[in-house]
Amino acid sequence: MAEIKDRASAATAVREAVYKSCMYKDDMNWEKWLNLCDDDFSYAITAYSPEIQRNMTYLSGNREDMRTMMEMLPKHNSDHSPLKRHCSVYEVEVDEENKTATAVSSVLVYQTMLDGVNCHVDSGESKVFLVGRYCDKFRVNEDDVKFIEREVQLDTRRLDKGSHYPI
Amino acid sequence: MAKSRNHAEWNAPPPFKADEYVDSRIYSDEGIFEEELEKIFKKAWIPVCHESELAKAYDFRTVTIAREPVILVRGKDMQVRAFLNVCPHRGNMIERRPSGTFLDGSPSGNPRHMTCMFHAWQFDMKGRCVYISRQEEGYQDRLKKSQVGLRELKCEVYFGGFIWVCLDDDIGMDVKEWSAGALECLQPSLDEEPLEIFHYHKAIIPCNYKLWHDTNCEFYHDYLHYHNRITGFNDGYFARKNMGFDNGHINVGSFEVQYDNYEGFDSRAAISFPHLPPNHWYMIDMFPGVNFNLRGSSLRCDLMTPLGPDKVMIEFRGLGLKSDDEATRRHRIEHHNSIWGPFGRNLHEDLLAVTGQGVSMDAQAEPRKILHGRHENETIHDENGMRHFYEEWGRWMNRSPSDPTKPFSEPSKAESKSKEEALA
């Protein structure tokens, strides 16, 4: 792991962590994803609804909640169509003391159909599953950065069958 | 000995009475679907949204019933009224947004009015036309504002603040009569204090609306849900009763859910709805496509808007108590969405299942017999709820659900009696 000696190297580490989080989740490697997160990590999927004019929270939990949820997946019936996250980090801000950082990223999630509808017809077809932003907070350590908060702010509210996977 | 079946055997009627299965054409036929819009959806009371979605004077909300655009507005007198969201001039949809306020003016009109942007005709919150641009120049004295008011619809706020609309002026009954007692099991819990919406999302699913309603009416499908098996499936669960009410409505009785049995979940008892025993769970299915579902701490309402024989929009709402403090509301939202949200454990499973039904009941697919012949003393895995729904559906459509090419025939008194005796 690279030493984080200044705010510029912290910002680089933040960008790398955001992209790694996408790759690990794309690969459904939940353990590696959670290893990017600190013990006090919190996760939420939120959206603003112009229909009811309210901020909503579609899913929330801490690190342990996320781990439990992923461990329980084999007991549930899920749409196994894989999700791929296309992400661009728009903004990184590291605090003056180089202790914490925030990042805002655009995220587009594509779903490649597998068993969600009629696999004979649909499998292999990719479509946009949702559109949103990652709003992340990090703790900056001596040799890495750790997620302490991820809020996935969705624009998409028509989610059809939905998903058992975190975004 | 059990064996697979050839084509003739596969297509033979099941060893059940005619009211214990349906023909899949009722889920896929374009003509039947169009008939359902006319004969059912344009004639029934539909709870289109909740009053907290238009809480203040001049707030509005737009919805659709049987392809008709509808607008709900709260007047200065705080009364909610419903109108066709259609301008009487050129038939344009008046309001395009899903919700908002008329307190602000629009590019073509004044504050406190509904304005059709096309030619700037304006209407007040009671649906009266109050402005026609260049009226005298164009219409001289041939057209008066009083002749071009909006089409007002029957509208009632009932049952925990839900706003019910009916397109039929001649329905001849209010919502209470329409519900025929089906709402009573939850009325004390929902009417004790004002409710407030906290969740909304929608799904458009490639299946017939009745397949979603069926899923809400039968609990035999709890084998689909690990969560429900592990937190239910005890003596109390299997004793739950399904009850039918007039007009095709259904109740599913309650029991105490053991939420702690699911890893990561906890009891809902501390923030139960008023008058509801801790961790209890009631379900009401209203004909033709509405569901109220109270799991202890949060209320879910599904509203089905059929878009085609093989396409339904389902709007999911979550509600808590208006008096909730921030922490209580957060817990209610967690409880609701961990099971019923778009990323929750159960809703995704239910939607996968009906999607699969939709695939196999494509309009061009060979008609199939869809069974609901389980009898278990009208308890939770009995399929009497669906049988009750389809009896009413047959009556409204004058079609036999098991053979929709034939007219509906009322079950004879003798049949009903023998059925009751068999169950006893």
Side-chain angles (χ1 to χ4, degrees):
Chain A
M1 276 172 271
E3 188 186 356
I4 297 179
K5 49 186 189 295
D6 52 28
R7 292 169 67 205
S9 54
T12 301
V14 163
R15 283 192 187 85
E16 285 175 4
V18 171
Y19 291 129
K20 275 183 185 170
S21 76
C22 292
M23 282 198 299
Y24 294 153
K25 282 192 276 192
D26 286 355
D27 295 341
M28 293 196 245
N29 193 333
W30 312 116
E31 196 55 40
K32 276 194 168 178
W33 168 49
L34 289 173
N35 284 342
L36 297 172
C37 307
D38 230 332
D39 291 342
D40 56 351
F41 172 69
S42 67
Y43 177 86
I45 302 176
T46 64
Y48 174 75
S49 166
E51 294 84 10
I52 62 169
Q53 300 190 54
R54 279 168 174 80
N55 291 309
M56 306 179 292
T57 302
Y58 282 162
L59 181 72
S60 60
N62 58 31
R63 192 172 189 270
E64 200 47 41
D65 295 333
M66 290 296 115
R67 183 191 301 280
T68 305
M69 204 170 87
M70 295 306 104
E71 285 172 354
M72 303 281 269
L73 275 178
K75 296 176 186 288
H76 284 276
N77 291 293
S78 302
D79 182 340
H80 299 100
S81 304
L83 303 176
K84 284 277 186 294
R85 295 147 185 85
H86 183 86
C87 176
S88 299
V89 180
Y90 281 171
E91 182 181 271
V92 177
E93 286 185 5
V94 182
D95 76 344
E96 294 289 337
E97 294 176 345
N98 206 18
K99 297 285 186 199
T100 61
T102 59
V104 177
S105 312
S106 170
V107 63
L108 214 74
V109 179
Y110 297 94
Q111 186 175 47
T112 301
M113 302 302 287
L114 176 61
D115 56 2
V117 187
N118 181 351
C119 62
H120 184 217
V121 176
D122 303 305
S123 64
E125 178 189 335
S126 297
K127 58 182 185 180
V128 175
F129 181 59
L130 59 81
V131 176
R133 272 187 176 173
Y134 287 142
C135 294
D136 297 324
K137 287 184 184 167
F138 295 86
R139 181 167 290 124
V140 180
N141 302 312
E142 285 181 2
D143 56 1
D144 66 3
V145 296
K146 292 281 191 194
F147 281 91
I148 50 176
E149 198 177 301
R150 163 154 283 180
E151 182 182 347
V152 189
Q153 295 178 348
L154 300 187
D155 290 341
T156 309
R157 302 172 309 285
R158 187 192 135 186
L159 288 150
D160 293 347
K161 293 191 302 298
S163 176
H164 275 161
Y165 304 138
I167 300 305
Chain B
M1 195 168 76
K3 63 180 181 70
S4 60
R5 293 179 289 169
N6 63 26
H7 189 242
E9 290 166 335
W10 170 254
N11 282 325
F16 287 159
K17 292 179 185 165
D19 69 342
E20 293 172 334
Y21 63 91
V22 298
D23 185 302
S24 65
R25 283 173 291 183
I26 70 165
Y27 299 122
S28 61
D29 185 274
E30 185 76 44
I32 290 175
F33 170 75
E34 293 298 331
E35 228 177 280
E36 284 178 300
L37 294 187
E38 291 302 318
K39 292 183 174 176
I40 297 178
F41 282 87
K42 288 186 177 176
K43 306 282 182 191
W45 280 106
I46 310 284
V48 291
C49 67
H50 188 258
E51 63 174 350
S52 59
E53 294 170 52
L54 50 162
K56 300 188 289 292
Y58 297 99
D59 282 355
F60 70 85
R61 186 83 170 88
T62 53
V63 298
T64 312
I65 304 173
R67 296 202 189 103
E68 297 288 348
V70 172
I71 185 163
L72 304 146
V73 295
R74 192 181 284 279
K76 190 179 169 186
D77 58 1
M78 296 306 282
Q79 193 177 325
V80 176
R81 296 178 178 85
F83 307 98
L84 277 191
N85 185 15
V86 176
C87 182
H89 173 217
R90 297 282 295 160
N92 188 33
M93 199 164 73
I94 296 172
E95 181 54 57
R96 293 175 295 149
R97 294 168 290 174
S99 73
T101 176
F102 288 119
L103 278 176
D104 304 322
S106 67
S108 301
N110 297 320
R112 296 180 173 78
H113 291 92
M114 293 179 257
T115 301
C116 178
M117 67 174 184
F118 210 175
H119 304 92
W121 286 29
Q122 295 185 37
F123 307 88
D124 69 11
M125 298 299 111
K126 292 184 176 175
R128 298 174 295 205
C129 181
V130 293
Y131 178 74
I132 295 175
S133 47
R134 303 189 77 241
Q135 180 180 0
E136 286 175 18
E137 290 87 340
Y139 299 113
Q140 299 81 41
D141 58 358
R142 295 174 297 122
L143 185 78
K144 295 182 171 59
K145 294 186 191 76
S146 61
Q147 294 171 305
V148 285
L150 298 184
R151 155 86 162 97
E152 186 161 3
L153 305 171
K154 293 185 84 69
C155 178
E156 215 183 300
V157 179
Y158 188 76
F159 189 58
F162 283 91
I163 300 174
W164 303 68
V165 174
C166 180
L167 296 182
D168 182 9
D169 287 349
D170 302 320
I171 185 169
M173 62 177 98
D174 59 18
V175 179
K176 185 179 180 183
E177 288 172 274
W178 165 251
S179 67
L183 300 174
E184 284 175 11
C185 65
L186 285 183
Q187 215 132 18
S189 297
L190 269 60
D191 285 341
E192 174 71 22
E193 57 176 292
L195 308 184
E196 190 170 70
I197 190 163
F198 60 67
H199 174 88
Y200 177 85
H201 85 278
K202 58 186 160 188
I204 294 182
I205 301 295
C207 77
N208 186 272
Y209 80 93
K210 295 188 290 302
L211 290 167
W212 186 250
H213 197 66
D214 290 352
T215 298
N216 279 334
C217 290
E218 62 93 358
F219 275 58
Y220 187 38
H221 82 271
D222 272 342
Y223 285 97
L224 171 71
H225 303 304
Y226 172 69
H227 175 271
N228 288 10
R229 296 199 306 273
I230 200 80
T231 61
F233 278 27
N234 54 32
D235 291 345
Y237 170 90
F238 285 107
R240 295 174 81 183
K241 282 276 189 180
N242 299 320
M243 285 172 288
F245 295 81
D246 284 352
N247 300 325
H249 313 313
I250 297 153
N251 276 184
V252 181
S254 185
F255 83 117
E256 188 178 350
V257 182
Q258 307 296 319
Y259 288 103
D260 299 344
N261 288 352
Y262 185 89
E263 202 180 336
F265 279 31
D266 54 16
S267 167
R268 274 74 166 132
I271 53 171
S272 284
F273 265 50
H275 307 294
L276 192 73
N279 291 317
H280 269 242
W281 175 19
Y282 276 102
M283 185 101 119
I284 301 169
D285 296 294
M286 299 290 288
F287 186 87
V290 177
N291 170 259
F292 297 103
N293 201 336
L294 182 58
R295 261 186 188 269
S297 57
S298 58
L299 175 70
R300 163 180 153 192
C301 175
D302 299 3
L303 174 63
M304 278 150 264
T305 299
L307 302 176
D310 57 355
K311 200 175 185 184
V312 58
M313 177 173 76
I314 313 166
E315 291 172 280
F316 299 99
R317 287 176 164 80
L319 296 101
L321 304 180
K322 194 177 177 187
S323 62
D324 287 342
D325 59 31
E326 198 183 325
T328 303
R329 178 60 61 86
R330 195 172 59 246
H331 285 306
R332 284 196 206 285
I333 292 171
E334 281 170 10
H335 292 168
H336 178 277
N337 285 339
S338 57
I339 302 174
W340 292 330
F343 299 91
R345 299 302 93 181
N346 282 18
L347 189 73
H348 178 57
E349 294 177 325
D350 284 322
L351 291 167
L352 274 177
V354 295
T355 300
Q357 287 181 296
V359 168
S360 86
M361 295 181 215
D362 181 85
Q364 306 310 317
E366 187 175 66
R368 309 180 196 296
K369 307 298 182 202
I370 310 301
L371 311 182
H372 46 233
R374 292 181 63 82
H375 288 273
E376 287 190 64
N377 199 27
E378 302 190 347
T379 55
I380 191 76
H381 287 187
D382 196 315
E383 291 170 335
N384 60 314
M386 284 190 287
R387 290 193 292 276
H388 183 72
F389 175 90
Y390 283 108
E391 185 180 315
E392 188 69 13
W393 183 90
R395 200 169 281 130
W396 283 59
M397 294 287 288
N398 192 25
R399 286 180 185 268
S400 165
S402 61
D403 182 353
T405 63
K406 293 181 178 160
F408 175 73
S409 59
E410 289 287 346
S412 68
K413 282 185 181 171
E415 260 182 350
S416 305
K417 197 179 171 191
S418 71
K419 207 183 289 177
E420 282 167 22
E421 283 169 358
L423 288 172

